[in-house]
Amino acid sequence: MQQVSRSINDVAVLELSGRFDSHAAPAVSAWMDSVTGRQPARVVVNLSGVHFIDSAALSALVSGMKRCRTGKGELYLCCLQQPVRIIFELTRLNRAFTIFDEEAIAVAMLTDRTIS
Amino acid sequence: MSISAITILQSLLDAQPRRFTTLAQAWLSGGASCVEICDLQRPLARWGAGAAGDAGMSVLICYRRDPVGELRVYGTGGLAQHVRLEADADMIGQMLRLNTEVDAVTGELVDTQDQLLALYQINRSAGGLLRLNEALGLLADEAQRMLKSEAAFVCMRDHGDSQPTIYQAGQHTEQIANLHQQLLDAGHEQLLGAAELRTRWPGIRSLLYVPIVVRGATISGGLGLINRPGTFSSPDLKLARAIAEQAGMMIERGLLYQDQIDRTRMQTEMDLARTVQRNLLPHFPPVVPGLDLFARSLPALHVGGDFFDFVSAPNRPLVIALGDVTGKGIPAALLMAMVRTALRGKTNYLPDLDPVKIMDRASQDLYADFTEVGMFATVFVGMYTSAERILYYANAGHAPVIYRPYGALARLLEADGVPMGVLDDTLCTLQSMPMGPGDLLVLATDGFNEAFSPTGEMFSIERLLTLVDVIGDQPAAEIAEALFAAVAAFCAGGEQSDDQTLVVVKGVPTP
């Protein structure tokens, strides 16, 4: 799996592509650790290139989301391919995450978000 | 002339007396009265009875150009005889050279044989020692003995460790403690004499160090020898190399053995964990009027996080649970045991039993633990009363849950709650399904729908739905057997990568 990170308006964006599984999850968790050190952490994970996701990968995203929220920040997801969207719907994780169709909207929502 | 040169001439006379006698007889039969071989101070051998007053000739005997003695002939003379005498003295010189060369070669052969024998003994005695530290300790002892040094040490450092381990024989503990690190860091052979050592390490007159090479491991090591009579020489270096090679093989063997021990220990622990986990699951489903029940969990190679449970008590509804903790291995197995225990506790002690209440209370209890280890669990909790013939349920993110009403097609019942451990509330709502005669509920874990064929194709929920429609009229046990068999055939004997857990609930007429 490939991962590309960038910062847009103080929002940390991670773009992933390929197979997001137990082999790839530790690297994503490490990235999460690095960006959630500064609070409030505002993070967008762009899954546009991910065609497969397993439970270890979902755990990494859930942990990242929890860490962001603990520090009054937020983690948004965007650009889910159909197989990945189905997994989020089956597990109902779509009720726990805020998911956007486009990265720009996700970033804009976090940029405008008033951190309470 | 050196003492050894004198010894050489005397040795030759002792070793080859008949040759010298023949040489002397040739002179005596040619008219000479006496033949003498002397070192530069005294006669060593004499043939004939010539008088002291006889005229004579004398020629130096040289060994590698150094005079080591004289060949003297009395009672004869002349140029021709002098030339002959010179030729004989030269021949004795040649014999001296050949004799010392033969001695040297013989000595080397004996040394080599001794060394081979010593290495064989090291290998034999250390071969029986499975513990690496004992074997390397013995090797240091033997190296000290064979190389006649005051001290010997074997040091070894794993690249992950900062401090090397030392196995020492003999004296100079303090000096070895000071110098081994520098020798290890330098990592090359060193053959040092007193002049080079005096300022660096007081008390050490001679030092021989050879690195130990361990193939396929991140370990560096070395064999060091300190102070021997005289200095360490080239043959000592060769022997030290051979011992170091032996040490390298011992370390490789020791690491292999340790690795094997670790694997066996881990496998034993995993087997134990699997046994504990299996024993947590009900061995037989309860007998419940109006239901035909079957459940089985087929663990993958490693312990996993799948579980199912039935809790039934007189005058209480039957509670059915099935779940899957994310991840694999011991952490998933431990969390699975905790989820099961929490669900059982709520089921047994909560008043006004209700699946949503069971789910939420258990989830609240475990939320902090799930967060701590970065995991979550998808869980289905169902509750059935024979009087109503309805199954109430709460589904926290679990799939696949398949319901096939009698006479209708199988369909996927999607979860409405998020998995346990994701939020502090699962957001589940209470749902229900009729469980009359012929109605069928199949609860499975993703080891079924996410099983892969050798070509990389996924079994999928769609295949499960189709199969349930085909076999749905059969009893619960046969439905389960058919589902396990279909997935196994799809994977075509490939390794099962995830647990496969199945609960089949089928409505049957009440007796």
Side-chain angles (χ1 to χ4, degrees):
Chain A
M1 192 188 68
Q2 286 187 322
Q3 61 181 74
V4 178
S5 61
R6 53 183 167 268
S7 179
I8 305 170
N9 298 335
D10 220 18
V11 174
V13 179
L14 182 66
E15 187 176 342
L16 302 174
S17 53
R19 193 181 160 90
F20 189 8
D21 58 14
S22 55
H23 299 291
V28 173
S29 294
W31 183 85
M32 294 283 185
D33 286 342
S34 68
V35 296
T36 52
R38 202 187 62 177
Q39 295 177 348
R42 291 183 288 188
V43 176
V44 170
V45 179
N46 181 335
L47 296 168
S48 58
V50 174
H51 55 79
F52 175 85
I53 192 162
D54 75 358
S55 61
L58 292 173
S59 292
L61 293 176
V62 167
S63 291
M65 179 261 286
K66 283 181 174 179
R67 274 202 299 276
C68 287
R69 288 183 185 171
T70 303
K72 308 281 184 198
E74 185 54 279
L75 181 147
Y76 288 163
L77 302 177
C78 69
C79 313
L80 275 60
Q81 287 190 27
Q82 186 63 7
V84 176
R85 185 176 291 277
I86 287 171
I87 297 289
F88 274 84
E89 286 169 359
L90 280 176
T91 56
R92 280 299 184 195
L93 284 170
N94 56 349
R95 294 188 73 185
F97 285 96
T98 308
I99 301 172
F100 293 91
D101 288 338
E102 292 176 33
E103 180 186 307
I105 299 173
V107 171
M109 292 300 284
L110 274 180
T111 308
D112 296 343
R113 190 167 182 265
T114 305
I115 305 295
S116 56
Chain B
M1 183 176 62
S2 66
I3 300 296
S4 62
I6 299 168
T7 312
I8 290 168
L9 191 53
Q10 184 64 61
S11 304
L12 185 63
L13 277 164
D14 294 342
Q16 313 263 1
R18 292 179 67 183
R19 282 184 184 274
F20 284 96
T21 305
T22 307
L23 183 143
Q25 290 298 336
W27 279 101
L28 295 173
S29 61
S33 60
C34 179
V35 178
E36 272 184 358
I37 290 181
C38 316
D39 64 22
L40 296 179
Q41 292 167 335
R42 60 194 170 91
L44 299 175
R46 175 182 289 162
W47 295 268
D54 286 352
M57 304 180 290
S58 171
V59 174
L60 285 173
I61 300 169
C62 292
Y63 170 67
R64 300 187 193 278
R65 296 185 180 172
D66 292 328
V68 294
E70 286 180 19
L71 175 61
R72 295 174 187 165
V73 177
Y74 298 94
T76 187
L79 182 61
Q81 296 300 333
H82 196 270
V83 171
R84 181 184 162 191
L85 190 66
E86 281 182 338
D88 283 353
D90 186 50
M91 186 188 72
I92 294 170
Q94 292 294 332
M95 283 169 68
L96 276 174
R97 192 174 58 76
L98 286 172
N99 202 45
T100 50
E101 281 178 5
V102 168
D103 280 350
V105 169
T106 308
E108 274 182 28
L109 276 173
V110 170
D111 282 352
T112 306
Q113 198 176 6
D114 285 350
Q115 289 169 6
L116 282 173
L117 193 64
L119 285 174
Y120 171 71
Q121 281 169 345
I122 288 182
N123 197 20
R124 200 169 157 203
S125 41
L129 299 174
L130 289 173
R131 292 183 182 282
L132 187 59
N133 55 352
E134 288 175 15
L136 292 179
L138 177 85
L139 191 123
D141 286 341
E142 291 295 317
Q144 186 206 2
R145 190 181 62 76
M146 288 163 61
L147 284 152
K148 301 176 183 65
S149 60
E150 289 175 6
F153 64 92
V154 173
C155 52
M156 197 173 88
R157 178 175 57 196
D158 195 307
H159 289 180
D161 301 335
S162 53
Q163 282 301 316
T165 313
I166 305 173
Y167 305 92
Q168 189 195 328
Q171 319 158 23
H172 304 294
T173 306
E174 196 180 329
Q175 284 92 335
I176 290 171
N178 290 333
L179 59 81
H180 73 274
Q181 187 102 30
Q182 291 178 46
L183 294 168
L184 258 177
D185 289 344
H188 56 77
E189 283 182 2
Q190 304 213 30
L191 187 58
L192 304 175
E196 296 147 297
L197 289 164
R198 194 174 298 122
T199 51
R200 289 173 70 182
W201 295 301
I204 300 184
R205 301 183 306 278
S206 55
L207 174 87
L208 173 56
Y209 177 82
V210 182
I212 294 172
V213 179
V214 183
R215 281 167 296 182
T218 55
I219 282 182
S220 54
L223 167 69
L225 294 133
I226 290 173
N227 290 358
R228 65 159 292 163
T231 55
F232 290 106
S233 60
S234 181
D236 295 333
L237 179 62
K238 282 183 191 167
L239 180 56
R241 280 179 190 155
I243 298 172
E245 194 176 331
Q246 192 72 30
M249 285 191 285
M250 276 182 192
I251 294 170
E252 279 168 32
R253 200 164 46 204
L255 292 175
L256 207 63
Y257 174 69
Q258 192 56 48
D259 191 40
Q260 217 164 4
I261 295 267
D262 291 346
R263 277 169 195 265
T264 307
R265 187 177 297 143
M266 190 175 284
Q267 189 57 52
T268 307
E269 285 171 6
M270 286 298 254
D271 289 346
L272 188 65
R274 283 178 68 170
T275 306
V276 170
Q277 193 177 31
R278 205 171 302 145
N279 286 332
L280 288 178
L281 304 179
H283 296 294
F284 302 101
V287 177
V288 179
L291 288 184
D292 174 18
L293 296 166
F294 186 91
R296 183 193 288 166
S297 185
L298 200 63
L301 186 62
H302 304 290
V303 289
D306 279 16
F307 72 97
F308 66 86
D309 204 3
F310 298 105
V311 186
S312 66
N315 304 317
R316 300 270 286 179
L318 165 74
V319 171
I320 302 167
L322 178 138
D324 184 358
V325 176
T326 55
K328 291 186 178 67
I330 301 288
L334 285 172
L335 218 48
M336 163 255 165
M338 289 165 69
V339 174
R340 174 192 169 275
T341 306
L343 290 172
R344 276 204 156 223
K346 305 306 164 198
T347 303
N348 284 327
Y349 300 111
L350 273 179
D352 306 323
L353 215 52
D354 145 9
V356 174
K357 216 187 276 183
I358 295 170
M359 186 81 84
D360 280 344
R361 299 285 168 82
S363 180
Q364 284 156 12
D365 282 0
L366 296 172
Y367 180 74
D369 293 321
F370 273 116
T371 303
E372 188 65 36
V373 294
M375 297 165 103
F376 62 82
T378 61
V379 182
F380 176 97
V381 175
M383 189 179 84
Y384 173 81
T385 54
S386 298
E388 284 185 286
R389 300 207 69 142
I390 288 177
L391 195 138
Y392 296 95
Y393 70 94
N395 188 349
H398 191 80
V401 175
I402 296 169
Y403 179 58
R404 181 177 180 260
Y406 178 67
L409 290 175
R411 65 172 194 269
L412 186 71
L413 295 183
E414 290 187 6
D416 65 338
V418 296
M420 268 191 194
V422 174
L423 303 174
D424 50 12
D425 183 353
T426 62
L427 309 176
C428 286
T429 56
L430 186 64
Q431 300 182 73
S432 64
M433 68 186 91
M435 195 46 71
D439 293 338
L440 173 67
L441 174 68
V442 175
L443 309 170
T445 54
D446 56 8
F448 280 88
N449 52 303
E450 290 183 7
F452 284 91
S453 75
T455 55
E457 197 183 351
M458 201 155 74
F459 192 80
S460 78
I461 289 175
E462 287 69 30
R463 271 198 183 83
L464 273 177
L465 288 168
T466 307
L467 199 56
V468 167
D469 274 331
V470 172
I471 58 178
D473 291 333
Q474 297 177 26
E478 287 175 32
I479 291 170
E481 295 297 346
L483 288 171
F484 275 110
V487 172
F490 184 78
C491 298
E495 189 184 304
Q496 182 191 331
S497 62
D498 202 356
D499 293 354
Q500 291 169 0
T501 302
L502 191 68
V503 171
V504 180
V505 182
K506 183 146 191 197
V508 291
T510 316

